[in-house]
Amino acid sequence: MQKFDCTFSSATVEYFFDYSVEYLFAQYSERKIILLTDANVFAAHPSIFLNRPTIVIEAGEQHKNQATVDKIIEELLRLETDRNTLLVGIGGGVVTDIAGYVAGIYMRGIDVGFVPTTILAMVDASIGGKNGIDVGVYKNMIGLIRQPKFLCYDLALLQTLPNAEWINGFAEIIKHACIKSEPMFRHLVAQQLSDFQNNHQLLSDLILQNAQIKNVVVQNDEFEKGDRKLLNFGHTLGHAIENELQLPHGHAISVGMMVASRLSAKQNGFAGVADIEKVLKQYGLTVAANYDKIKAMEVLRMDKKRIGDKINFILLSYIGEAYIEPISFEHIEQAI
Amino acid sequence: MQKFDCTFSSATVEYFFDYSVEYLFAQYSERKIILLTDANVFAAHPSIFLNRPTIVIEAGEQHKNQATVDKIIEELLRLETDRNTLLVGIGGGVVTDIAGYVAGIYMRGIDVGFVPTTILAMVDASIGGKNGIDVGVYKNMIGLIRQPKFLCYDLALLQTLPNAEWINGFAEIIKHACIKSEPMFRHLVAQQLSDFQNNHQLLSDLILQNAQIKNVVVQNDEFEKGDRKLLNFGHTLGHAIENELQLPHGHAISVGMMVASRLSAKQNGFAGVADIEKVLKQYGLTVAANYDKIKAMEVLRMDKKRIGDKINFILLSYIGEAYIEPISFEHIEQAI
């Protein structure tokens, strides 16, 4: 167990790492707490929600939209949520994204905390304060950057996580290795997914290391003027195909990382394309997908990273080192 | 004309005071600008919108809701709005509230500027960064505190303002006098509405003075931990009856100010009830309304200022001096 604070330019986030969610509730016993979760997490961990006011949303990225936000707000009103209420999002990235967003706009902002229940949410989605919802095929088109009050990592919650969700989360871990840590990349090459699933310490170390990589990036650039953009490696094309193909996020960005790697090879002679393909496959991720190129280009044109007729693409110079290069839509069209 | 900057804890707002809106457009000629206005302002000032991408919403508080936000977002997507686009809200408080809110959540925040076209928006609604929408009868239940990039006061726009809207705006001016400036209260007592309507300098001085009163309050307490709450004088009950009775905002808070004044007399012997009633009437405002007390209490129970079984009420000790007192729902019920 480790407890530490992480101070961003706008706020300080309290980390409860490897603590039980019950410990967390005890810490906030004097506050009115409302829990927000999805149907899967609610069914998998009934004891957490017993006798606690809970809003349950439908599971899945397709529900990360305004209709779900409307329902949550209606429930918050019904539960007489006031400015001193603490909203706690317990779930994967969809739940923490929606919980963070709703808490940011309800009564112009109430406190929110996250209990991520997936690898993906633990190493990426729940960290850094970005929240939001999709608008049609456009991912995270609406949202805020606003830090939660705390993050609680209860690794016991991963025991019920389906294998497909483990694979999904490792895409972001591989991404962190690609852009920030060559030693972690080698560590991943040397292990198998099952090693992490069966060894608490190995897993705990990996998750903490990944949370710290993301924390440092966000601390240096909370409002994404520079370095934080590197975290979008694989995400530009990934987002463009995720909703169209109904691909899990990890697989979509895995395809996106392959495209960005090949684009890197073309732009600067990056030599690690085969290594990245190998490790993605090793962890069960998709490296190619059959998608509608015209539709993907349409979505890219509405990407938040677009500046005029170019889009900021994240490329690699070598494994562990990424940079931003504006690429014209024409060049992207050729690459995909 | 006066140009000054106003620095809040989170951002600096540029003020163009007594400048034409055309001057403003010239200042931002290098930016992609999208205008947001309502049907009334669009019809009253066609030359402003000629050949400029404009989103026109329906006029009126009843459209300050999620349905309107959905339509605006759809239009922003259609207009290929990117992160570098500047959204300019031109209108009364409903338009500036919605423009500020949409700009705050679209792509996690794009720049926004306001051109208030009503007295109420010039002295109150457009200042201080509070934005938002209503949820059913609950006013501003959803929103943000986020400063605009600039405010442009083009007093020529007031020439087409209906008389009812002048009256509406003077409610907030009288409120500022009640809580912060006894000399301004005396000034208002000595004048008539028509004096301000017919004398540019008299009006310009009054608007600037009111904008400054609000600026100073917000500068000292942007996130409403203390002094900013005083601006809610008359608003607690005002908001509770505004949507129920479909009363204009100024008349609703005028009724609210009367209730708060009488409550002040009861709690601390405040002696100015008759003076306040006189000046409200002098400027054409409603001082009593027949509303459903049970419904009003229901709405009060969901007020953002509620803490447990009490609500923070703004009371006056004397004219020009206000303070906060938590009042139980029981006492409010007796008072109304």
Side-chain angles (χ1 to χ4, degrees):
Chain A
M1 296 198 293
Q2 281 190 55
K3 205 163 149 184
F4 52 95
D5 288 353
C6 185
T7 299
F8 299 100
S9 55
S10 68
T12 296
V13 181
E14 211 175 351
Y15 275 77
F16 298 88
F17 191 81
D18 216 353
Y19 275 77
S20 78
V21 62
E22 280 76 19
Y23 174 89
L24 181 88
F25 290 152
Q27 290 298 296
Y28 287 94
S29 56
E30 84 291 0
R31 294 281 292 269
K32 174 170 174 169
I33 295 180
I34 293 178
L35 308 182
L36 177 71
T37 192
D38 71 21
N40 290 349
V41 176
F42 188 75
H45 306 284
S47 66
I48 294 178
F49 306 100
L50 200 68
N51 297 324
R52 298 185 176 277
T54 302
I55 301 172
V56 183
I57 62 174
E58 289 178 82
E61 178 82 26
Q62 70 273 31
H63 298 291
K64 196 175 125 176
N65 57 24
Q66 186 59 43
T68 302
V69 170
D70 290 343
K71 276 181 222 159
I72 295 168
I73 288 167
E74 202 177 291
E75 278 294 287
L76 289 174
L77 286 167
R78 200 183 56 76
L79 293 166
E80 298 200 356
T81 307
D82 66 19
R83 276 185 172 158
N84 292 312
T85 304
L86 171 64
L87 183 68
V88 181
I90 305 180
V94 171
V95 168
T96 59
D97 269 16
I98 288 205
Y101 178 56
V102 170
I105 60 172
Y106 185 83
M107 290 189 168
R108 298 203 183 95
I110 62 171
D111 282 343
V112 67
F114 300 144
V115 182
T117 60
T118 64
I119 299 284
L120 195 147
M122 287 184 183
V123 301
D124 183 30
S126 71
I127 302 169
K130 277 194 186 178
N131 61 46
I133 54 171
D134 303 339
V135 178
V137 293
Y138 305 118
K139 284 205 35 111
N140 303 319
M141 188 52 74
I142 297 295
L144 303 170
I145 296 182
R146 179 175 184 263
Q147 301 301 333
K149 200 173 165 58
F150 65 77
L151 271 164
C152 174
Y153 287 68
D154 182 345
L155 301 191
L157 297 173
L158 296 173
Q159 285 162 9
T160 59
L161 193 69
N163 207 52
E165 276 303 318
W166 282 83
I167 294 171
N168 211 16
F170 268 73
E172 297 287 1
I173 291 174
I174 294 168
K175 179 196 79 178
H176 283 153
C178 287
I179 63 169
K180 283 287 171 189
S181 174
E182 199 269 337
M184 191 166 82
F185 192 89
R186 276 187 280 120
H187 178 55
L188 290 167
V189 168
Q191 309 286 338
Q192 299 293 331
L193 182 56
S194 56
D195 298 333
F196 294 105
Q197 289 173 318
N198 298 323
N199 183 331
H200 182 89
Q201 196 57 50
L202 200 68
L203 177 67
S204 165
D205 289 348
L206 185 74
I207 290 177
L208 184 58
Q209 195 185 350
N210 275 275
Q212 298 288 34
I213 285 176
K214 178 139 185 194
N215 272 332
V216 170
V217 171
V218 176
Q219 280 177 316
N220 290 331
D221 176 29
E222 186 173 3
F223 295 102
E224 198 165 321
K225 306 290 178 203
D227 216 35
R228 186 168 186 172
K229 291 182 183 164
L230 302 182
L231 296 171
N232 287 314
F233 177 61
H235 281 60
T236 309
L237 184 75
H239 279 171
I241 64 172
E242 182 172 345
N243 280 3
E244 186 209 327
L245 299 186
Q246 299 275 304
L247 267 183
H249 181 71
H251 292 272
I253 66 154
S254 178
V255 174
M257 285 193 272
M258 284 309 302
V259 170
S261 300
R262 282 193 295 264
L263 212 49
S264 304
K266 206 169 160 182
Q267 297 291 115
N268 66 42
F270 170 65
V273 180
D275 292 337
I276 290 177
E277 181 166 6
K278 186 160 172 280
V279 81
L280 289 170
K281 282 182 177 168
Q282 182 179 328
Y283 283 86
L285 286 155
T286 309
V287 292
N290 209 344
Y291 53 91
D292 184 332
K293 266 84 182 167
I294 293 164
K295 266 196 190 164
M297 287 305 297
E298 265 172 35
V299 179
L300 281 181
R301 268 181 241 282
M302 282 313 300
D303 192 285
K304 295 190 287 297
K305 294 176 288 301
R306 173 180 176 172
I307 310 282
D309 68 337
K310 291 186 175 182
I311 193 160
N312 276 331
F313 236 85
I314 314 307
L315 302 181
L316 299 179
S317 39
Y318 49 88
I319 285 170
E321 185 76 27
Y323 68 100
I324 304 165
E325 190 171 322
I327 308 263
S328 71
F329 285 105
E330 201 187 325
H331 278 107
I332 298 167
E333 213 161 348
Q334 287 161 9
I336 63 175
Chain B
M1 297 198 293
Q2 280 192 55
K3 204 163 151 185
F4 53 96
D5 287 351
C6 186
T7 300
F8 299 100
S9 55
S10 67
T12 296
V13 181
E14 211 176 352
Y15 274 77
F16 298 89
F17 192 82
D18 217 353
Y19 275 77
S20 78
V21 63
E22 281 75 19
Y23 173 88
L24 182 88
F25 289 152
Q27 290 299 296
Y28 288 94
S29 56
E30 83 292 359
R31 293 280 293 268
K32 173 170 175 169
I33 295 180
I34 294 178
L35 308 182
L36 177 72
T37 192
D38 71 22
N40 291 349
V41 176
F42 187 76
H45 306 284
S47 65
I48 294 178
F49 305 99
L50 200 68
N51 296 324
R52 298 186 176 277
T54 302
I55 300 172
V56 183
I57 63 174
E58 289 178 81
E61 178 81 27
Q62 70 273 30
H63 298 291
K64 196 175 126 175
N65 58 24
Q66 185 60 42
T68 302
V69 170
D70 290 343
K71 277 181 222 160
I72 294 167
I73 288 168
E74 202 176 292
E75 278 294 288
L76 289 174
L77 286 168
R78 200 183 57 75
L79 294 165
E80 298 200 356
T81 307
D82 67 19
R83 277 184 171 159
N84 291 313
T85 305
L86 171 64
L87 183 69
V88 181
I90 304 179
V94 172
V95 168
T96 58
D97 269 18
I98 288 207
Y101 178 56
V102 170
I105 59 172
Y106 185 83
M107 290 191 170
R108 298 203 183 94
I110 62 171
D111 281 343
V112 67
F114 301 144
V115 182
T117 60
T118 64
I119 299 283
L120 195 147
M122 286 183 183
V123 301
D124 184 30
S126 70
I127 301 170
K130 276 193 186 179
N131 60 46
I133 54 171
D134 303 339
V135 178
V137 293
Y138 306 118
K139 283 202 39 107
N140 302 319
M141 188 52 73
I142 295 295
L144 303 170
I145 297 182
R146 180 176 185 263
Q147 301 302 332
K149 200 174 166 57
F150 65 77
L151 271 164
C152 172
Y153 286 68
D154 182 345
L155 301 190
L157 297 174
L158 295 173
Q159 284 161 8
T160 59
L161 193 70
N163 207 53
E165 276 303 317
W166 282 83
I167 294 170
N168 210 17
F170 268 73
E172 297 288 359
I173 292 174
I174 293 168
K175 179 197 79 178
H176 283 153
C178 287
I179 63 168
K180 283 288 171 190
S181 174
E182 200 270 338
M184 190 165 84
F185 192 89
R186 275 187 281 119
H187 179 54
L188 290 167
V189 168
Q191 309 287 337
Q192 300 293 331
L193 182 56
S194 56
D195 298 332
F196 293 105
Q197 289 172 318
N198 299 324
N199 183 330
H200 181 90
Q201 196 57 50
L202 201 66
L203 178 67
S204 165
D205 289 349
L206 185 73
I207 290 177
L208 184 57
Q209 195 185 349
N210 275 275
Q212 298 288 34
I213 286 177
K214 179 141 184 190
N215 272 331
V216 170
V217 172
V218 177
Q219 280 176 317
N220 290 332
D221 176 29
E222 186 173 4
F223 296 101
E224 198 165 320
K225 306 290 176 201
D227 216 35
R228 185 166 186 174
K229 291 182 182 162
L230 302 182
L231 296 171
N232 288 314
F233 177 62
H235 281 59
T236 309
L237 185 75
H239 278 170
I241 64 172
E242 181 172 346
N243 280 2
E244 185 208 327
L245 298 185
Q246 299 274 303
L247 267 183
H249 181 72
H251 292 271
I253 67 154
S254 177
V255 173
M257 284 193 273
M258 284 310 300
V259 171
S261 300
R262 282 194 295 264
L263 212 50
S264 304
K266 206 169 159 183
Q267 298 292 114
N268 65 43
F270 170 65
V273 180
D275 292 337
I276 290 177
E277 181 166 5
K278 187 162 172 279
V279 81
L280 289 171
K281 282 182 176 168
Q282 183 179 327
Y283 284 86
L285 286 155
T286 309
V287 291
N290 210 344
Y291 53 91
D292 184 333
K293 266 84 183 166
I294 293 164
K295 266 197 192 163
M297 288 306 297
E298 265 171 36
V299 178
L300 281 181
R301 267 180 242 282
M302 282 314 300
D303 192 285
K304 295 190 286 298
K305 295 177 289 301
R306 173 180 176 173
I307 311 281
D309 68 336
K310 291 188 173 179
I311 194 161
N312 277 331
F313 236 86
I314 315 306
L315 302 181
L316 299 179
S317 40
Y318 47 87
I319 285 170
E321 185 76 27
Y323 67 100
I324 303 165
E325 189 169 324
I327 308 262
S328 70
F329 285 105
E330 202 187 324
H331 278 106
I332 298 168
E333 212 160 348
Q334 288 162 8
I336 64 176

